[in-house]
Amino acid sequence: MTEEDKLREYLKRAINDGRQLQSRLQKLEESIREPVAIVGMGCRFPGGVEDPEAFWQLVAEGSDAMSGFPADRSWEAPGLLAGDSGDSGTGYARVGGFLDGAGEFDAEFFGISPREALGMDPQQRLLLETCWEALEDAGIEPGSLRGTDTGVYAGVITSGYRVGSQDGAGGYGLTGTMASVASGRVAYSLGLQGPAVSIDTACSSSLTAIHLAAQALRSGECGIALAGGVTVMASPGAFTEFARQRGLAADGRCKPFAEAADGTGWGEGVGVLVLERLSDARARGHRVLAVVAGSAINQDGASNGLSAPNGPSQQRVIRAALASARLRASDVDVVEAHGTGTALGDPIEAQALLATYGQDRPEGRPLLLGSVKSNIGHTQAAAGVAGVIKMVQAMRHGMLPQTLHVDAPSSHVDWSAGAVELLTTSREWPAGSSPRRAGVSAFGISGTNVHVILEEPAEEAEVLDSPVLAGPESSLGPVAWVLSARTAPALAAQATRLAEFVTSRPEVAARDVAFSLAVTRTTAFSHRLAVVGDDRGQLLAGLTAAGAGREAPGVVTGFAGSGSGLRPVFVFAGQGAQWVGMGLQLWDLE
């Protein structure tokens, strides 16, 4: 080979290597910027809210979920209605957004002893239950994730929960109250081996968790992530301290960006998202509720006070999130603001929004601005995820709920400085030529600021009915609805809850309920139930009977216990043997 041939061969190899390197860099850049899909959600919020649908109903109806102090916590707070040093003229209300049954927990379901459950902070209990519910909402059977690299990112702040040996929880008080264990307990209970991180950036904790989870998914640290936050106030300390700082609203209600704004109102809640890379969600056939198009996080640094918000930092985090999503400010329709209703924080936040989103907008398309804190109070570590769930539901329903308690826009804000408009009434959010988009903000008293940009998912290709489920509802023959639980009372409660769900949603087909129960929920618990019927009426009648503990035609129950004399009973539904493997394996005595 001549020297010229050698040189030519070398150049060919160099060009080929360069192309391969360019391809790898392009794939790496695409993975770093890949949108993250929200495929499932779970939540508990004030007003008796136990799932995202009930949460949407609350905000869409403009309900105020604030109430008096709970009677089951034995709160004794002398001077709570007074200021510091005996000043009795402030008159703060004993009002907040409280969770119903915050102390309730199905310990047996997770294999936790009553003594250990007592030692667990209610925040750990609620986070564990809500993670399970979020996975089922995503159509993911929680047990299927055991041994996978699924991550847990949980915003958790100090609750004040304390127990000891005198309370019967000796030995469990340490792990039960450590914030780090909150995420670790979820990973332990579900057998998850990805990152498990508890995050405390105060009121921006859950949005920080979502931001970090999205980064971990894009970098390949985990394949699925649970992200969100939880707050339960085990003591009235937050009320006491903010009363002393004159930071609480006189009536306990947040009035975001309003002239009447006189302080914040505390709330509780828990919210969890199930996140995947968008390409993975599509490949796995998961329903995509919304997309995290971009996000950013920063810190106030040295500002005019440790706990005071910093307007320039808020502007920077918004611009960084837009750059992450590769969007212009005018591409975003609405912002779910931090909006706590304080005289100091709201004007600073509004000016930052006017300086960013309020500039260079199309005529007649101002940025719309709202805050769910007017409905449920400031839920602290769960505040950011509450705003995300609200905006995801708003996209799906094509409607923007009103912000409550706004008498008039605050005169401390120069609203003429940009095109920003408060959502003082509900309005439609129609589909347009571009996807619906929303920003969500959370600013922690720690100085940590986070902004997340959500985007409506592109329409998916129509999913064809499977041969099993194809055809008119009436032509399918018998259908089986299958349930299982760890205890008999829990099984009856599930039957009642399913009956309520199906009754409230007449558009849901019986065969779709059967399919989802069989393939997206755990059906291997020891107490098992199948309701078989030819139509919705028969199936609902069977569920109602099962919930009440009565025998009825088409209702089959069983217990997968240990010992002899047991045989499997398979329940089939549909046409012929097409439903093999779709039913529930029951057990019955010989």
Side-chain angles (χ1 to χ4, degrees):
M1 180 181 292
T2 65
E3 290 298 321
E4 183 178 347
D5 291 335
K6 291 180 180 180
L7 179 60
R8 185 180 296 109
E9 189 64 26
Y10 173 79
L11 289 174
K12 286 180 179 179
R13 287 199 303 270
I15 292 172
N16 186 55
D17 290 345
R19 287 173 177 169
Q20 290 180 359
L21 178 60
Q22 184 179 15
S23 176
R24 286 197 296 268
L25 288 173
Q26 184 177 356
K27 289 180 180 179
L28 178 61
E29 183 177 358
E30 289 174 354
S31 67
I32 291 173
R33 291 184 174 273
E34 182 177 6
V36 169
I38 300 173
V39 298
M41 303 188 296
C43 67
R44 313 273 182 88
F45 287 114
V49 168
E50 294 188 346
D51 55 49
E53 288 71 31
F55 186 43
W56 171 250
Q57 184 176 0
L58 184 142
V59 296
E61 293 176 351
S63 298
D64 181 337
M66 308 301 280
S67 64
F69 279 8
D72 61 352
R73 303 191 193 182
S74 302
W75 281 4
E76 296 293 338
L80 181 62
L81 299 186
D84 207 4
S85 304
D87 176 10
S88 60
T90 53
Y92 286 112
R94 292 174 178 261
V95 173
F98 299 102
L99 291 174
D100 293 346
E104 297 176 359
F105 177 55
D106 192 351
E108 188 172 356
F109 180 86
F110 293 101
I112 295 172
S113 71
R115 189 170 131 191
E116 183 174 7
L118 179 62
M120 291 169 60
D121 187 327
Q123 295 182 145
Q124 290 191 18
R125 307 176 203 161
L126 284 167
L127 183 67
L128 186 55
E129 291 183 339
T130 308
C131 283
W132 185 285
E133 293 165 359
L135 287 169
E136 288 196 332
D137 182 68
I140 299 172
E141 198 276 292
S144 68
L145 298 180
R146 185 168 295 276
T148 68
D149 64 353
T150 300
V152 183
Y153 294 81
V156 187
I157 61 177
T158 302
S159 74
Y161 186 74
R162 290 290 182 271
V163 293
S165 57
Q166 71 277 9
D167 302 304
Y172 293 108
L174 181 63
T175 55
T177 56
M178 292 176 66
S180 60
V181 176
S183 58
R185 191 181 292 276
V186 173
Y188 171 80
S189 298
L190 301 182
L192 312 178
Q193 297 180 355
V197 184
S198 297
I199 297 151
D200 183 359
T201 59
C203 307
S204 59
S205 295
S206 60
L207 218 57
T208 300
I210 293 168
H211 168 77
L212 295 178
Q215 286 189 325
L217 286 165
R218 293 186 180 109
S219 67
E221 288 182 349
C222 55
I224 296 176
L226 293 161
V230 58
T231 289
V232 177
M233 293 176 285
S235 80
F239 290 91
T240 305
E241 289 304 308
F242 258 62
R244 289 171 177 161
Q245 294 291 330
R246 305 297 194 273
L248 287 181
D251 61 358
R253 288 164 171 81
C254 297
K255 307 168 186 68
F257 308 104
E259 182 67 16
D262 60 345
T264 199
W266 291 129
E268 303 175 323
V270 54
V272 175
L273 309 179
V274 182
L275 304 175
E276 295 178 295
R277 289 181 292 271
L278 182 59
S279 58
D280 288 343
R282 298 295 195 208
R284 295 165 181 162
H286 291 159
R287 170 197 58 174
V288 177
L289 302 174
V291 168
V292 178
S295 61
I297 185 171
N298 73 4
Q299 167 63 222
D300 285 343
S303 61
N304 63 340
L306 173 63
S307 60
N310 185 308
S313 291
Q314 293 181 17
Q315 292 183 40
R316 286 194 294 272
V317 80
I318 289 170
R319 292 191 174 103
L322 287 167
S324 169
R326 290 177 285 187
L327 294 171
R328 300 166 300 175
S330 59
D331 294 326
V332 177
D333 306 314
V334 60
V335 164
E336 172 65 20
H338 193 56
T340 59
T342 61
L344 174 64
D346 281 10
I348 292 174
E349 181 176 8
Q351 295 293 357
L353 292 167
L354 287 160
T356 51
Y357 283 114
Q359 306 302 308
D360 302 320
R361 299 193 67 86
E363 185 69 27
R365 278 194 57 224
L367 177 82
L368 300 176
L369 181 62
S371 174
V372 75
K373 293 179 180 65
S374 67
N375 301 93
I376 60 174
H378 187 350
T379 54
Q380 304 166 73
V385 72
V388 170
I389 294 173
K390 172 188 170 183
M391 286 293 97
V392 171
Q393 294 290 64
M395 287 179 184
R396 300 182 69 203
H397 290 271
M399 193 265 273
L400 292 168
Q402 71 177 109
T403 295
L404 308 182
H405 313 309
V406 179
D407 57 337
S410 172
S411 61
H412 299 290
V413 177
D414 180 9
W415 296 101
S416 66
V420 175
E421 182 179 332
L422 287 178
L423 278 163
T424 54
T425 59
S426 298
R427 62 179 69 186
E428 291 185 1
W429 193 3
S433 57
S434 58
R436 298 178 179 97
R437 297 189 181 98
V440 181
S441 290
F443 309 129
I445 199 171
S446 62
T448 299
N449 309 305
V450 189
H451 192 71
V452 169
I453 296 176
L454 304 174
E455 184 173 285
E456 181 181 30
E459 289 189 14
E460 302 178 51
E462 183 179 355
V463 179
L464 299 177
D465 285 331
S466 71
V468 173
L469 301 180
E473 180 88 351
S474 60
S475 69
L476 288 178
V479 169
W481 289 352
V482 296
L483 295 169
S484 75
R486 293 193 187 276
T487 65
L491 188 64
Q494 277 205 52
T496 299
R497 190 172 181 182
L498 179 60
E500 293 172 351
F501 173 86
V502 175
T503 301
S504 66
R505 292 166 174 79
E507 74 280 3
V508 176
R511 61 191 180 191
D512 293 335
V513 175
F515 180 84
S516 296
L517 290 172
V519 301
T520 67
R521 296 175 65 89
T522 301
T523 57
F525 296 132
S526 55
H527 291 265
R528 305 178 183 182
L529 166 71
V531 178
V532 183
D534 292 314
D535 54 44
R536 289 172 64 92
Q538 291 180 6
L539 291 160
L540 282 171
L543 281 180
T544 302
R550 303 193 311 268
E551 294 184 1
V555 177
V556 184
T557 59
F559 175 72
S562 60
S564 60
L566 296 178
R567 61 181 174 83
V569 178
F570 289 92
V571 176
F572 301 100
Q575 298 171 333
Q578 289 181 326
W579 277 81
V580 171
M582 300 288 288
L584 171 69
Q585 185 177 1
L586 296 168
W587 294 86
D588 199 359
L589 292 174
E590 289 281 7

